[in-house]
Every structure is written in C-alpha cells, then in structure tokens.
Amino acid sequence: MNELIGDILKSLKEFKDTKRIDYAEKSYPTKMELIGVTVPNLKIVLKELKKQTKLFSVSDRMELTKKLIDIDIFECQQLAYEYLGNDKNVLKTLSEKDIDDLGKNLDNWLSVDYYAALIVGYAWRENIITIEKVKKFLDSDNFWIRRIAIVATISLNQKARGGTGDSKRTLDICKLVIDDHEDMINKALSWALRELAKVDKESVIKFVEQYRDRLNKKVLREVTNKLEIGTKN
C-alpha cells in the first residue's frame, strides 16, 4: 500500500504546474500542501489508479482512500474523493465512522463540495445515514462544516449523481439555514434550491414565497431567475 501511495505521489508531482498553484491559492485557498495538478491531469492519475487497484478488495480500497486523505495534500484528497465516489461497491459499505474519517481538511469550498456530494450525499440518499446525522453538521461554528449539510442535498436531486428528487429532505435542510447569511452558506443554499427546481419547481416556488422576507437577496435573485428564465443570472 505504501509503495502504491509513493507511486501516486510521484505521478501527481510529474504534473506539477505553478500556474495551477497560483490559481488554487486564489480560488480555493487551503492549509493543505498544493502540488498544482489540473483537473484533466488528475483524471489521468485517477484512471491509472483504478487500473492498479482493479483486484483490490473493498476494504483495501477504503483503506487506500483514507490513507490518501491522511497525507494532507490537496490533490491526494481530491483523488481520494473521486476514487471512492466512482466506486459504488465501496460506497455501499460506508459506515458513520468511515464518513467521519473521510471528512478531514475541509477548509475550502472544493474539498467541502466533493466530500458533501460524493460521500455524505450518497450515504444520505441511500439511507446509510439519517437526516439527523446531516443536521449535526449545522451545529458547527465552522461555516465550512455547515455547508456540508446543504451541498449534500445535491445528491438527492441531481440526476448526474443518481438523484431522483427529494423535496422534503432538501427543504428540511434549507429551512434551517435561511437565517445563516455567511456567504458560503448563501451560495450553497442557492445551489440547493436551484438544483431542486429542476425536479420539483412548484416546491421551490412555494418555499421562496414563504421565506421571501428572510432569504438573502442574492439567493432570492438567483433562485427566482432560475425559476423564471432557467439560469441564475
């Protein structure tokens, strides 16, 4: 396993791009080490990793995922989330402890959104965890952690992620954050409502009308635009 991780790090570092580091530091600053790997190149490493671990057991794949996250390198974390997020056999075995173990270094929107949509959202949609577990994220003083609960709703509604639509669970979470006007929470709330609108427009219309006076102006504008013209702007 350690030899494989060494090979992964070597592959990632071969794609090092200083311009990507500059972009990352401006777009999603993190305390983790940045190698500077573009998304297309990260996909190349991911594709090779899948080949290398084709015969791995489910438990070995989970162990590899956790080890990659524990390295505290941004690209290793992203690789781990994508690796796990594309493996339904491993995802089906997720426990609450696994989910907690995988939620490390969540200090930027990209890490949070990968974790929330690919891991937490999947587990919630498949009833591996309950809405009470998701709501616990909202108790945090850290807005990044609170954002997890909202972005997790994307997996309930986005067809590309396997969602079929779940207005009740989505809106149960959205109701709890309408007065939380942290910018990253507002952006997540707007996204969650716009995604739900694709599968249940009427529920979103009713929600907006009910909470119009309390919703952040940007959220209200983006969601209303989505309902009326199909785009947020």
Side-chain angles (χ1 to χ4, degrees), residues 9 60 62 66 82 154 165 197 209 219 222:
L9 283 169
D60 283 343
M62 180 64 80
K66 291 182 180 181
E82 288 229 41
I154 301 301
E209 287 303 313
V219 174
E222 290 182 351

Side-chain angles (χ1 to χ4, degrees), residues 15 25 77 106 108 154 210:
F15 287 116
E25 289 176 343
Q77 183 197 60
L106 301 174
N108 64 90
I154 301 301
Q210 183 176 356

Side-chain angles (χ1 to χ4, degrees), residues 58 62 88-95 98 128:
V58 166
M62 180 64 80
K88 295 297 187 291
N89 290 327
V90 183
L91 284 172
K92 287 188 291 187
T93 71
L94 280 170
S95 66
D98 291 327
I128 295 170

